[in-house]
Amino acid sequence: MEKQLYELTLKEAIDVAKAEGPWEIIRAVIDRTALLNPRLNAFVRFEPEHFLKKSRKSEDFKGVLSGAPLSVKDNICIHGCETTCASKILRGHVPPYDATVIRKLGDAGAFFLGQCNMDEFAFGSSCETSAYGAVKNPWDIERVPGGSSGGSAVAVAADMTIAALGSDTGGSIRQPAALCGVVGLKPTYGRVSRYGLIAFGSSFDQIGPITKTVEDSAILMNLISGFDPHDSTSVNQTVPDYTKALARNVKGLRIGLPKEYFVEGIDPEVETKVREAANVLKQLGAQIKTISLPHTAYAVAVYYIVAVAEASSNLGRFDGVQYGLRAPGKNLLEMYFETRNQGFGEEAKRRILLGNFVLSAGYYEAYYRKGQKVRTLIRKDFEEAFKEVDLILTPTSPTPAFKINEKISDPLAMYLSDIFTIPANLVGIPAMSLPCGFTEKGLPIGVQLMAKPFDEEGIFRAAFALEQEIRIYKRKPKL
Amino acid sequence: MNTKIQYEPVIGLEVHVQLSTKSKLFCACSTQFGEAPNQNTCPVCMGWPGSLPVLNEEALKLAVRVGLALHCQVSEKIKFDRKNYFYPDLPKAYQISQYDMPVNKLGWVEIEIQNGKEIQKKKIGITRAHLEEDAGKLLHEGVKDGSLVDYNRAGTPLLEIVSEPEIYSPKEAYEYLKTLKMILEYLEVSDCNMEEGSLRCDANISVRPVGEMKLGTKTEIKNMNSFRAVERALNYEIGRQMEMAAQGEKILQETRLWDETSGQTFSMRSKEEAHDYRYFPEPDLVPFRIAREMMDSIQKALPELPAARAKRFQDDYQLSAYDASVLTQEKALANYFEACVKEGSDPKTACNWILSEVLALLNAKCISVKDSPVQPKDLLGMLRLIEDKTISGKIAKEILPLMFETMKSAADIVQSRGLTQVNDAQLLEDLADKIVQANPVLVEDYRAGKKKALAFFVGQIMKETKGKANPQLVNEILVKKLGG
């Protein structure tokens, strides 16, 4: 049976669009999304008309992407297009500028379909905290898609977009990618400009691609990477052609399996499939060895101190003064209280309170400062490990997709969903999740590959080999 | 026995100086004062979600320049922090500032205090001078319900200069501010315009029994709009605190506002209401090291500062300490003086004319030295006419205001008004004879010892010559004619 146009990978879509123009593909994707979005809730705003108006001329679609339709998470600013972080407090907020990644992709001929649903302000691992309602996992609509970039992952998995951008602060690209059976890459901190990404944890956040294949991920990384004079944390380092790393050759590659990531609590099916993936790489010529990252146990705790501290400060500006929601109040203080009380959801409030607490006088040393010190220890773990190995292979998530409402009232259980993804953000290294199998119930399982700073190429090399060998990306959810 | 405890005040000052960069501290917006509200704004200084700061290197250079001039240790590592609080003029709900690693620390300023006829020198320690961004401004005028915000000022670079609590009187505080402002103007890092808010000052003050080393509970005073206001507010606050201390009342740690009209300070917020700013390192700006070459080039480019220049004026031009100090208070004035000297004027003469006549005329017309209609070469032209006896000093004093008004040269004015000095001895002698003959009584008086009578005769000759007679010559002739 011939592939539907909406099923095309980015690589295929670019080839078709180059030959025949992008319109047929765009039309197919629009129809597909119109059909599925009511069920999956992957998009908070599906406004291709907006971009049609913006880019009527077909020369806009030249570039590398030739008009291939993409979607972005609702926390990446698009000029003139409402951007809300799936929060009530930003309803009506229309950015007066484009995020750097939007500008770069636009210049490369991207056609933006709309903005994807997410956990409010990227606070969550299940896409249940969105002001627009929960997102459903296309493999089982009673289950969560993961989060916070769940909308982007679902849109890619369900062929509602050709590819998407997400953002990753503690696993927000990789965990939903794993739970939805797609490829998600969190680049090295500083590889991709954060300018225009509405900040959650500024020293953790990175924008990255969520795609159907490893190759698509490399294509997007070629376009969005690089130094940005508007982002002082972006790094001025040459961007290689990542597609060149897509050779099916892992001979001699040293891959470490940290023993702290294969412990009790991890779903047996997940462990089996991840170990199988390691074996596949071994058979292809990689060396597999067990390593240790001794401070792993502290990663979640450190993250929920430092990241929420930054978040509490980053979210201060949502005060009803300039943009978004403003609740009436008798005086300034009451306006602040009411706006923030009505505008923020439960999880956002929890993190703001926690963040303010760890930064407050008398607690800073005990929490924030100590958290940063432990962060340094975790970084040293990885520096040591990367003396022995080129890549680290782990499960992306300890479990496959869980049921909607299963963990929403137990924040600690929810936070542990990111136990394997958080360390890469603490350290700033690149990490990818790619599908490595399915559970008996048919839920996707993701394997995570981590590399040294700026060694995205190493990840692409191993991920491509693994993907081509197991070829499970061809399996689609029944919708 | 009734011994009264003597108290002394201890004062520390926080000065905010707006650094005169073209663009703001973290974005490319203009810092131009007086534009229409919210004209000089962009997503960065408006704190729009997703925007990020990028440090303006020029502001850092100016900050280092000040640090070096204030003898500070300049930090090689530059790091910023967030100071979190809510206020509508603060668009991000945090101010990017420097907390535990200021760009400059541990410096000093030397001030001079006039004590009777004596000038005492004293060093005031500088705790720190750090970079931070300014906030916007609330507008209430013409708004019925609520307020408006103008973000033009948001993000303009400030240097906060914090002194040690080593200032022991309002007068010292005034001198400290004056000296600091002088240095900043010499460095050309700020307009130092208090009215436009490019220089602001808050004061921390406490009192303690004389001899006690421990500091008393301090209050912070805000809202002082001139150096004189600082002096007045401190005087008031010292009185208030001393009275409370004398009566055994507890002084509360609080922030107080100075009210210029009533001449009093009023409580604004207590320590309990004080903000917890939740400082933490600004993650959007990566810490970095200042390049050695940059530091060296700033050091090399430091101009001569007022104290050094005053010293040189004393040494090179034999001016008095007082004259040298007044001349160097303003860079432009000192430049004016030196230009006159370079053109060939006698230093002392130039100094006298500048400090008396020129300054008086400028002040009366509210013109800055830079914009003076009489430039050094013009003044010098006039001084030459005195030297070659074309005009007398007295006539010169009449000519100078005309030069200010007409912007004509002294020579032109002398020519057109016929003010050339009468140096004709024969003519003056004839005049003297006439007047001596006409006033025999006064001549007798003079000869009897009333030397003051001479002034009358001089005056008469001046009257006859419309003030143009060479006074020295007239004197000589008269003394000779009158004898005695």
Side-chain angles (χ1 to χ4, degrees):
Chain A
M1 199 179 79
E2 203 182 318
K3 225 175 185 179
Q4 297 291 330
L5 283 175
Y6 52 75
E7 289 180 319
L8 298 178
T9 66
L10 181 58
K11 174 75 171 83
E12 293 161 350
I14 291 168
D15 290 344
V16 171
K18 280 218 160 87
E20 301 160 23
W23 299 107
E24 291 293 312
I25 307 169
I26 292 171
R27 176 59 49 210
V29 171
I30 288 174
D31 290 346
R32 171 87 171 165
T33 300
L35 182 74
L36 291 180
N37 201 48
R39 259 195 283 166
L40 299 176
N41 203 21
F43 283 90
V44 295
R45 244 161 276 104
F46 192 74
E47 296 178 329
E49 320 80 53
H50 177 90
F51 299 100
L52 281 174
K53 257 181 261 157
K54 257 180 127 173
S55 44
R56 267 257 176 257
K57 299 164 297 197
S58 42
E59 62 255 34
D60 287 343
F61 294 147
K62 281 193 176 145
V64 175
L65 294 172
S66 305
L70 305 180
S71 309
V72 298
K73 192 176 180 178
D74 190 29
N75 59 355
I76 298 173
C77 291
I78 301 179
H79 189 176
C81 202
E82 190 186 14
T83 304
T84 68
C85 292
S87 178
K88 211 172 138 185
I89 208 160
L90 273 176
R91 285 270 165 94
H93 160 246
V94 179
Y97 71 102
D98 272 334
T100 298
V101 289
I102 296 296
R103 185 178 50 73
K104 284 186 163 187
L105 289 178
D107 290 349
F111 180 86
F112 295 106
L113 294 164
Q115 288 138 302
C116 295
N117 209 343
M118 57 186 282
D119 280 295
E120 183 184 8
F121 284 107
F123 297 154
S125 314
S126 67
C127 272
E128 293 168 283
T129 67
S130 166
Y132 298 92
V135 185
K136 313 289 168 56
N137 191 314
W139 297 91
D140 176 353
I141 61 163
E142 292 187 350
R143 290 179 188 267
V144 304
S148 65
S149 311
S152 300
V154 170
V156 174
D159 294 319
M160 298 158 80
T161 185
I162 298 299
L165 290 183
S167 71
D168 192 315
T169 309
S172 280
I173 286 175
R174 291 159 288 155
Q175 187 255 15
L179 270 46
C180 293
V182 292
V183 178
L185 174 70
K186 180 204 91 77
T188 309
Y189 185 79
R191 177 81 289 186
V192 177
S193 168
R194 294 185 296 117
Y195 191 72
L197 169 68
I198 300 181
F200 157 11
S202 312
S203 71
F204 302 83
D205 297 343
Q206 271 292 289
I207 293 170
I210 297 181
T211 53
K212 297 176 184 179
T213 65
V214 174
E215 183 180 29
D216 288 359
S217 188
I219 292 170
L220 283 182
M221 277 302 287
N222 277 354
L223 299 174
I224 63 175
S225 300
F227 174 70
D228 178 7
H230 293 294
D231 176 3
S232 315
T233 64
S234 70
V235 177
N236 202 346
Q237 191 164 322
T238 341
V239 179
D241 179 355
Y242 290 113
T243 60
K244 292 242 167 79
L246 305 174
R248 295 180 61 179
N249 177 10
V250 292
K251 277 221 171 66
L253 207 61
R254 298 168 304 163
I255 299 176
L257 270 57
K259 59 175 199 269
E260 293 82 1
Y261 284 62
F262 294 89
V263 288
E264 219 172 309
I266 170 172
D267 184 285
E269 283 186 288
V270 169
E271 180 167 0
T272 309
K273 290 292 172 194
V274 170
R275 286 196 185 279
E276 274 176 32
N279 270 330
V280 169
L281 287 167
K282 191 176 176 184
Q283 278 154 22
L284 292 173
Q287 301 171 30
I288 305 291
K289 61 198 281 188
T290 301
I291 57 163
S292 174
L293 297 165
H295 295 93
T296 298
Y298 305 105
V300 174
V302 167
Y303 175 79
Y304 277 96
I305 288 168
V306 181
V308 295
E310 292 176 3
S312 71
S313 172
N314 285 330
L315 269 59
R317 72 189 71 194
F318 307 114
D319 58 4
V321 175
Q322 277 198 77
Y323 32 71
L325 179 76
R326 178 190 293 172
K330 282 198 286 292
N331 51 44
L332 179 66
L333 214 56
E334 201 181 292
M335 187 280 279
Y336 280 157
F337 284 152
E338 278 310 305
T339 299
R340 291 171 68 84
N341 189 35
Q342 293 172 25
F344 288 127
E346 283 303 307
E347 185 60 26
K349 284 177 191 165
R350 185 178 293 126
R351 296 197 190 194
I352 290 168
L353 287 171
L354 202 55
N356 281 322
F357 173 74
V358 299
L359 288 177
S360 59
Y363 296 98
Y364 180 87
E365 290 293 325
Y367 292 104
Y368 183 83
R369 176 94 74 196
K370 188 172 274 177
Q372 289 289 29
K373 283 183 182 160
V374 180
R375 190 177 183 182
T376 304
L377 291 179
I378 294 171
R379 179 173 293 127
K380 286 191 177 137
D381 277 2
F382 278 87
E383 282 167 8
E384 284 304 310
F386 283 123
K387 286 177 187 165
E388 289 179 57
V389 296
D390 303 306
L391 293 174
I392 294 173
L393 183 149
T394 76
T396 307
S397 166
T399 66
F402 43 91
K403 288 264 174 70
I404 291 172
N405 287 329
E406 190 181 322
K407 293 184 181 175
I408 193 70
S409 50
D410 184 355
L412 281 183
M414 186 74 88
Y415 295 170
L416 289 174
S417 312
D418 294 331
I419 189 163
F420 299 145
T421 47
I422 280 171
N425 299 84
L426 287 171
V427 181
I429 53 173
M432 175 188 276
S433 177
L434 74 153
C436 66
F438 287 85
T439 64
E440 265 181 30
K441 284 183 186 157
L443 296 173
I445 295 168
V447 59
Q448 174 175 240
L449 290 168
M450 295 184 265
K452 285 189 273 287
F454 297 98
D455 188 23
E456 280 81 0
E457 287 166 292
I459 292 179
F460 280 124
R461 193 174 149 200
F464 185 71
L466 182 63
E467 177 194 58
Q468 295 304 308
E469 193 64 24
I470 57 184
R471 302 189 80 78
I472 52 163
Y473 62 94
K474 299 200 183 257
R475 187 159 155 187
K476 295 276 181 188
K478 291 186 184 69
L479 286 159
Chain B
M1 215 172 80
N2 194 2
T3 49
K4 234 181 165 182
I5 305 173
Q6 289 287 313
Y7 288 92
E8 64 171 4
V10 181
I11 299 161
L13 296 175
E14 288 171 17
V15 173
H16 286 89
V17 199
Q18 188 187 316
L19 297 175
S20 47
T21 53
K22 282 198 186 69
S23 56
K24 294 185 178 181
L25 187 51
F26 298 116
C27 64
C29 288
S30 163
T31 53
Q32 186 68 43
F33 179 81
E35 299 274 346
N38 296 312
Q39 205 61 44
N40 295 338
T41 57
C42 74
V44 177
C45 56
M46 295 280 273
W48 277 78
S51 66
L52 295 170
V54 176
L55 178 66
N56 176 349
E57 202 174 281
E58 190 53 32
L60 177 65
K61 285 182 180 163
L62 294 185
V64 170
R65 189 171 160 90
V66 175
L68 292 174
L70 300 182
H71 319 95
C72 289
Q73 293 176 14
V74 178
S75 176
E76 277 181 27
K77 194 175 168 193
I78 297 300
K79 176 200 157 219
F80 288 91
D81 299 275
R82 289 188 186 177
K83 178 180 179 179
N84 297 283
Y85 64 95
F86 286 93
Y87 204 65
D89 67 6
L90 191 69
K92 300 186 292 295
Y94 58 81
Q95 177 192 32
I96 304 179
S97 179
Q98 296 189 296
Y99 182 57
D100 56 355
M101 215 185 277
V103 52
N104 305 305
K105 63 179 182 187
L106 302 177
W108 50 266
V109 168
E110 189 166 64
I111 63 168
E112 291 181 349
I113 305 147
Q114 191 100 27
N115 206 343
K117 285 218 155 172
E118 221 178 304
I119 291 179
Q120 285 179 335
K121 291 191 173 184
K122 179 181 171 182
K123 276 183 187 168
I124 306 284
I126 302 289
T127 316
R128 56 189 284 151
H130 68 258
L131 264 176
E132 60 184 26
E133 56 176 344
D134 207 347
K137 223 183 215 168
L138 290 196
L139 307 171
H140 307 282
E141 240 166 273
V143 190
K144 242 190 175 170
D145 193 18
S147 307
L148 298 174
V149 197
D150 175 7
Y151 292 105
N152 278 350
R153 209 180 61 183
T156 51
L158 295 178
L159 192 71
E160 182 177 332
I161 305 169
V162 183
S163 87
E164 288 287 307
E166 292 176 348
I167 298 168
Y168 299 119
S169 72
K171 197 175 162 198
E172 279 185 24
Y174 180 84
E175 287 303 325
Y176 166 79
L177 290 171
K178 212 179 78 183
T179 309
L180 188 60
K181 182 181 173 203
M182 219 156 79
I183 294 172
L184 295 169
E185 281 174 343
Y186 263 68
L187 292 171
E188 292 172 349
V189 294
S190 173
D191 300 339
C192 294
N193 186 332
M194 277 191 105
E195 275 153 33
E196 290 179 6
S198 58
L199 194 144
R200 284 166 259 161
C201 175
D202 301 333
N204 287 300
I205 173 163
S206 61
V207 297
R208 67 183 173 193
V210 173
E212 171 71 61
M213 289 308 288
K214 232 179 82 198
L215 292 171
T217 305
K218 67 171 183 186
T219 61
E220 186 184 6
I221 313 171
K222 288 181 177 288
N223 197 38
M224 298 164 295
N225 295 321
S226 67
F227 292 171
R228 284 293 165 210
V230 174
E231 202 179 4
R232 281 181 72 205
L234 287 172
N235 269 320
Y236 171 84
E237 186 62 15
I238 291 166
R240 189 186 74 86
Q241 289 191 14
M242 282 192 180
E243 205 167 299
M244 287 178 76
Q247 289 177 2
E249 283 178 57
K250 204 175 162 225
I251 292 158
L252 297 175
Q253 186 175 336
E254 60 185 355
T255 303
R256 298 179 69 86
L257 283 187
W258 166 249
D259 180 61
E260 186 71 32
T261 325
S262 68
Q264 292 178 311
T265 62
F266 295 96
S267 180
M268 182 178 130
R269 60 170 177 253
S270 71
K271 188 191 172 191
E272 286 71 33
E273 296 164 281
H275 298 293
D276 177 356
Y277 291 119
R278 292 163 280 123
Y279 280 100
F280 75 102
E282 164 59 290
D284 289 332
L285 293 164
V286 189
F288 67 97
R289 283 183 185 282
I290 301 185
R292 192 71 251 169
E293 305 82 62
M294 179 174 143
M295 200 89 94
D296 291 345
S297 80
I298 296 170
Q299 179 82 57
K300 265 190 211 132
L302 277 186
E304 185 184 33
L305 291 173
R309 200 168 195 185
K311 172 91 178 33
R312 184 167 60 81
F313 280 14
Q314 287 180 58
D315 295 346
D316 290 6
Y317 307 131
Q318 283 77 48
L319 300 184
S320 72
Y322 177 82
D323 284 349
S325 153
V326 178
L327 272 180
T328 50
Q329 265 172 27
E330 204 187 325
K331 192 176 192 173
L333 189 65
N335 287 347
Y336 191 101
F337 164 76
E338 282 214 283
C340 291
V341 174
K342 283 217 179 82
E343 297 270 346
S345 167
D346 168 57
K348 185 66 197 157
T349 311
C351 168
N352 287 345
W353 275 93
I354 290 167
L355 292 189
S356 52
E357 306 306 316
V358 176
L359 269 190
L361 284 164
L362 287 172
N363 289 342
K365 291 183 193 290
C366 291
I367 304 173
S368 70
V369 180
K370 244 194 221 150
D371 301 331
S372 172
V374 174
Q375 287 296 305
K377 63 170 176 17
D378 307 322
L379 182 68
L380 197 75
M382 192 198 78
L383 294 178
R384 288 249 160 86
L385 292 183
I386 302 174
E387 247 169 30
D388 67 16
K389 301 205 169 72
T390 308
I391 57 171
S392 65
K394 189 160 167 287
I395 293 289
K397 282 184 189 177
E398 286 170 28
I399 288 174
L400 194 59
L402 297 172
M403 290 169 69
F404 266 80
E405 262 163 47
T406 61
M407 293 180 75
K408 281 185 182 151
S409 73
D412 283 353
I413 293 170
V414 166
Q415 184 102 53
S416 64
R417 305 211 173 195
L419 293 172
T420 311
Q421 183 162 268
V422 178
N423 289 318
D424 182 339
Q426 192 53 53
L427 183 111
L428 293 177
E429 280 196 30
D430 291 352
L431 266 176
D433 285 341
K434 213 171 83 191
I435 291 161
V436 167
Q437 275 170 18
N439 296 281
V441 181
L442 284 167
V443 173
E444 282 313 308
D445 281 357
Y446 177 83
R447 287 180 178 153
K450 283 194 182 168
K451 299 291 179 204
K452 274 185 189 166
L454 182 66
F456 167 80
F457 293 102
V458 174
Q460 287 300 307
I461 293 180
M462 284 298 174
K463 202 172 156 192
E464 290 288 325
T465 57
K466 297 199 175 75
K468 291 184 286 185
N470 179 337
Q472 219 180 329
L473 198 54
V474 169
N475 256 318
E476 279 167 24
I477 291 169
L478 279 169
V479 169
K480 197 174 72 193
K481 302 254 175 223
L482 291 168

